[in-house]
């Protein structure tokens, strides 16, 4: 772009490159560290080995925590897909009193610190409702802050597309449900997938809210990592799990790119 | 553009009222829009409006109860003791001020780091480079929070990379403490700032930059007087995340914070070890109050539409 001078351009390029190096250094270190023969990580590493990968592959604790995380994330995503979509469809063209309040209510669970959401829900379950903490309470808590990701994606899509197609469908005699099934839903499909992907990632990685809403006997993967982080004997296994998670983070990026075509700019997990 | 959305923003210059249904036969068949909206809103509002707001309200009420020191039972008697302790005991005041300062510092650091990168991505980079940069910025966001905090623990250790890099200059790692906490939090939340600012700058029409340049402004002047003011709501939107996430964090503080505590640790310790839920609830009202004030203030900037 001609309006940006060469000097400014050079500064921006250099700065961006520098920050990217800083962003990736810790992640590369995690990968390297998983091959470190020594149990404590010192730089530079003295000897490399595949031994810890073998040990981690047989760690039942890590594996069962992984599946727990996947189950929780799937359930939370399912709930937030339904609730987020309903809210987005409800708020679409209509302007009514309290609309802004409702928007604020939907973003509140991610705008307030996780610790507030966590302790508020934990207090409600244990003191007010008398429900014991379990994976169910974790799913409820996760769904609460995942609704916003689905809501945002669906709302952006319906705003962009407007309601002309649906009106055409209904003018041609289709009922409300038929219109939803054959017109609205197909138009929303990729937005729903994107929202689901974000919800899944958000729930899968969540630790603060989880800490407060999970029972003492259940473990999601982040809880397992946190509990084993400071145990000297488990540290090498944690290193490998960490490395695997860094590598796995390429998957949602790949999926999001496929889903969104050239527009992936908003793919944040919001937390 | 929402920070949690994959969608491109709706065209800002679309004809007003384009979505308004034309008066047609179809319109007559529909139930009243109010009823339909209400039915659609019922499940999410029950969940968020009743359960979540109810939980927040219950938390506030719990903050006015107390804890029996011997039995650990919650005593449902109204008292202001928790708040009195919170405001009169020095250590809590120190921790509150420290938490707010660190959250503000992390936000400023992230804004300063994010703006040039977002500007490069949005207005300088080619389409292909832009795509790659978006991926490069997003990737670490998906890598686990704990893994990143842990990586910083390893980097900041006595035998870590930072110590090794700084040794030739006669410097040493800051070790574990408030500096390490600030650095780690700024690292963790940086993408949450880059993405909204990038989205905001991408929406900024190139013609504005051209106009500024045509009128004789140097590009640094354009940056300061055109780009920065227009990107401000997006920066504020990003700050909601960086500030709120920093204020509530206790995990990174546990991992790299040394002995320095933040509000999150006080809440966590009072729920867990001390088992004093009413006091924890009282402490949690501080971040709630701060965020509500913050949201109310930034509403005017239009930041909430940039979330």
């Amino acid at each position: 772009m001609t309006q940006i001078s060469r000097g400014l351009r050079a500064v921006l390029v250099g700065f961006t490159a520098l920050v990217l190096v800083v962003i990736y250094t810790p992640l590369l270190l995690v990968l390297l560290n998983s091959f470190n023969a020594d149990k404590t990580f010192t730089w530079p590493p003295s000897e490399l080995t595949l031994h810890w990968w073998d040990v981690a592959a047989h760690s039942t604790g890590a594996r069962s925590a992984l599946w727990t995380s996947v189950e929780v994330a799937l359930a939370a995503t399912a709930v937030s897909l339904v609730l987020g979509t309903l809210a987005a469809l409800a708020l679409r063209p209509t302007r009514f009193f309290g609309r802004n309040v409702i928007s604020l209510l939907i973003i509140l669970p991610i705008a307030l610190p996780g610790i507030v959401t966590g302790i508020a829900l934990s207090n409600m379950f244990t003191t007010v409702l008398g429900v014991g903490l379990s994976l169910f309470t974790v799913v409820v808590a996760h769904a609460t802050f995942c609704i916003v990701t689905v809501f945002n994606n669906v709302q952006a899509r319906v705003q962009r597309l407007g309601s002309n197609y649906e009106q055409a469908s209904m003018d041609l005699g289709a009922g409300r449900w038929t219109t939803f099934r054959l017109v609205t839903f197909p138009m929303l499909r990729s937005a729903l997938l994107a929202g689901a992907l974000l919800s899944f990632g958000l729930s899968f990685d969540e630790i603060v809210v989880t800490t407060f809403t999970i029972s003492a006997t259940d473990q999601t993967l982040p809880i397992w990592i946190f509990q084993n982080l400071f145990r000297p004997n488990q540290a090498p296994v944690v290193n490998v799990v960490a490395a695997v998670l860094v590598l796995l983070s390429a998957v949602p990026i790949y999926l999001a790119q496929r889903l969104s075509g050239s527009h992936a700019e908003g793919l944040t997990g919001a937390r | 553009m929402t920070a949690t959305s994959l969608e491109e923003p709706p065209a800002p210059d679309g004809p007003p009222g384009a979505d308004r249904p034309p008066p047609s036969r179809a319109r007559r068949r529909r139930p009243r829009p109010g009823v339909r909206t209400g039915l659609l809103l019922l499940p999410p509002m029950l969940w968020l409006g009743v359960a979540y707001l109810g939980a927040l309200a219950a938390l506030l009420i719990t903050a006015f109860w107390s804890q029996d020191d011997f039995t650990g039972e919650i005593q449902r008697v109204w008292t202001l003791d928790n708040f009195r302790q919170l405001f009169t005991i020095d250590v809590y005041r120190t921790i509150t001020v420290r938490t707010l300062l660190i959250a503000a510092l992390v936000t400023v650091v992230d804004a300063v780091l994010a703006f040039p990168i977002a500007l490069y991505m949005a207005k300088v980079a080619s389409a292909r480079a832009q795509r790659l940069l978006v991926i490069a910025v997003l990737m670490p966001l998906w890598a686990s929070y704990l893994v990143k905090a842990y990586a910083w623990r390893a980097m900041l250790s006595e035998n870590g990379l930072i110590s090794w890099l700084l040794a030739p200059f006669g410097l040493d790692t800051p070790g574990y403490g408030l500096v390490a906490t600030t650095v780690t939090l700024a690292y963790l939340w940086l993408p949450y700032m880059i993405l909204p600012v990038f989205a905001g700058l991408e929406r900024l029409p190139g013609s504005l930059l051209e106009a500024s340049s045509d009128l004789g402004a140097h590009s640094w002047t354009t940056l300061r007087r055109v780009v920065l003011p227009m990107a401000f709501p997006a920066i504020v939107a990003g700050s909601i995340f960086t500030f709120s996430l920093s204020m509530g964090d206790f995990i990174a503080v546990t991992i790299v914070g040394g002995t320095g505590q933040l509000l999150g640790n006080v809440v966590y310790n009072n729920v867990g070890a001390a088992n004093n839920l009413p006091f924890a609830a009282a402490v949690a009202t501080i971040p709630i109050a701060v965020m509500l004030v913050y949201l109310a203030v930034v509403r005017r900037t239009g930041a909430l539409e940039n979330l």
Side-chain angles (χ1 to χ4, degrees):
Chain A
M1 202 163 285
T2 49
Q3 308 82 41
I4 291 181
S5 72
R6 196 177 281 185
L8 178 57
R9 200 180 282 237
V11 169
L12 292 179
V13 174
F15 191 85
T16 304
L18 188 70
V19 173
L20 280 177
V21 168
V22 175
I23 286 178
Y24 277 91
T25 303
L27 298 178
L28 293 175
L29 275 180
V30 168
L31 289 180
L32 179 65
N33 195 20
S34 68
F35 300 107
N36 190 355
D38 204 342
K39 278 189 183 178
T40 58
F41 186 57
T42 53
W43 177 265
S46 49
E47 203 185 331
L48 300 178
T49 173
L50 277 171
H51 174 65
W52 303 123
W53 281 74
D54 188 42
V55 175
H58 296 97
S59 164
T60 47
R63 216 179 319 167
S64 79
L66 171 68
W67 288 121
T68 305
S69 275
V70 170
E71 282 166 20
V72 166
L74 284 177
T77 301
V79 175
S80 52
L81 266 179
V82 173
L83 296 179
T85 309
L86 288 176
L89 291 179
L91 291 194
R92 73 165 146 175
T94 33
R95 295 254 156 218
F96 57 89
F97 180 74
R99 186 195 157 100
N100 288 335
V101 177
I102 291 170
S103 306
L104 183 68
L105 188 58
I106 291 168
I107 65 162
L108 203 57
I110 56 159
L112 289 180
I115 198 156
V116 170
T117 305
I119 184 181
L121 291 171
S122 161
N123 179 51
M124 180 180 71
F125 290 131
T126 54
T127 350
V128 181
L129 299 177
V131 185
L133 296 180
S134 65
L135 289 183
F136 171 76
T137 53
V138 178
V139 169
V140 171
H142 284 196
T144 302
F145 62 75
C146 285
I147 292 173
V148 67
T149 65
V150 177
F151 174 81
N152 276 346
N153 277 282
V154 174
Q155 208 201 22
R157 175 67 53 90
V158 290
Q159 266 184 21
R160 190 152 61 90
L161 292 178
S163 56
N164 292 343
Y165 294 105
E166 284 142 317
Q167 274 155 25
S169 162
M170 295 184 66
D171 275 349
L172 292 169
R176 184 157 286 284
W177 173 243
T178 310
T179 299
F180 179 80
R181 196 165 50 89
L182 296 178
V183 179
T184 316
F185 182 73
M187 291 194 313
L188 296 181
R189 197 156 40 205
S190 63
L192 289 170
L193 278 170
L197 192 64
L198 288 166
S199 283
F200 187 90
L202 209 55
S203 166
F204 189 81
D205 192 30
E206 163 58 40
I207 177 153
V208 175
V209 175
T210 316
T211 305
F212 289 96
T213 48
I214 199 165
S215 77
T217 51
D218 291 310
Q219 279 185 328
T220 61
L221 195 58
I223 299 277
W224 180 88
I225 294 176
F226 193 49
Q227 286 179 356
N228 287 284
L229 209 52
F230 298 107
R231 293 185 188 158
N233 283 329
Q234 284 286 7
V237 180
V238 172
N239 290 338
V240 176
V241 173
V244 170
L245 287 176
V246 169
L247 294 175
L248 278 182
S249 59
V251 175
I253 292 296
Y254 171 78
L255 290 177
Q257 284 289 309
R258 291 288 305 270
L259 281 179
S260 60
S262 61
H263 286 276
E265 64 261 39
L267 190 74
T268 83
R271 180 179 312 216
Chain B
M1 185 64 219
T2 59
T4 50
S5 157
L6 281 165
E7 288 285 335
E8 55 187 310
D13 49 0
D19 285 349
R20 206 172 296 143
S24 67
R25 280 176 295 126
R27 201 185 160 119
R28 255 176 278 130
R29 272 200 313 224
R30 297 183 191 184
R32 290 197 308 131
V35 175
R36 180 173 158 267
T37 304
L39 284 176
L40 285 172
L41 270 179
L42 192 65
M45 284 308 107
L46 280 177
W47 187 289
L48 289 169
V50 179
Y52 185 63
L53 281 190
L56 286 178
L59 186 71
L60 281 182
I61 293 170
T62 310
F64 290 99
W65 287 342
S66 68
Q67 163 93 4
D68 189 310
D69 288 343
F70 295 104
T71 61
E73 294 273 309
I74 291 174
Q75 294 181 318
R76 304 189 174 199
V77 181
W78 296 96
T79 170
L80 282 170
D81 281 356
N82 294 321
F83 290 98
R84 201 169 295 139
Q85 282 183 31
L86 199 54
F87 291 115
T88 52
I89 300 181
D90 277 350
V91 68
Y92 295 124
R93 213 168 6 195
T94 313
I95 291 176
T96 303
V97 172
R98 179 193 291 154
T99 305
L100 295 180
L101 284 179
I102 286 189
L105 188 60
V106 167
T107 301
V108 170
V109 169
D110 277 343
V112 169
L113 292 179
F115 183 74
I117 299 172
L119 182 62
Y120 179 72
M121 286 165 69
K123 291 288 171 242
V124 181
S126 66
R128 193 182 137 77
Q130 185 186 66
R131 207 176 148 85
L132 288 174
L133 279 168
V134 170
I135 296 175
V137 169
L138 286 173
M139 253 286 276
L141 196 71
W142 284 90
S144 161
Y145 162 93
L146 276 171
V147 169
K148 288 179 281 184
Y150 179 57
W152 275 95
R153 185 178 172 85
M155 298 223 309
L156 290 159
S157 83
E158 292 294 325
N159 305 311
L161 179 70
I162 292 179
S163 184
W164 183 80
L165 281 175
L166 292 179
F169 304 98
L171 298 167
D172 199 8
T173 165
Y176 305 135
L178 294 177
V179 176
T181 306
T182 310
V183 169
T184 305
L185 290 175
Y187 175 84
L188 285 167
W189 314 139
L190 182 60
Y192 294 95
M193 183 64 92
I194 294 179
L195 289 166
V197 178
F198 166 67
L201 287 174
E202 220 199 3
R203 259 179 319 209
L204 186 82
S207 54
L208 269 179
L209 304 187
E210 275 166 37
S212 174
S213 150
D214 284 349
L215 292 167
H218 189 266
S219 60
W220 289 96
T221 313
T222 306
L223 191 63
R224 195 162 43 86
R225 299 192 49 185
V226 179
V227 180
L228 206 51
M230 297 212 48
F232 186 68
I235 295 174
V236 174
S239 79
I240 293 174
F241 290 116
T242 59
F243 189 76
S244 167
L245 288 166
S246 305
M247 196 166 50
D249 191 276
F250 66 94
I251 307 263
V253 185
T254 312
I255 295 175
V256 300
T259 53
Q261 300 263 298
L262 299 189
L263 279 176
N265 304 85
V266 178
V267 175
Y268 180 67
N269 294 336
N270 274 290
V271 172
N275 193 26
N276 189 345
L277 195 58
F279 187 69
V283 179
T285 57
I286 299 177
I288 297 178
V290 171
M291 278 321 291
L292 288 181
V293 170
Y294 195 65
L295 288 176
V297 170
V298 303
R299 242 177 82 95
R300 290 158 179 273
T301 66
L304 298 187
E305 285 75 53
N306 280 276
L307 269 181

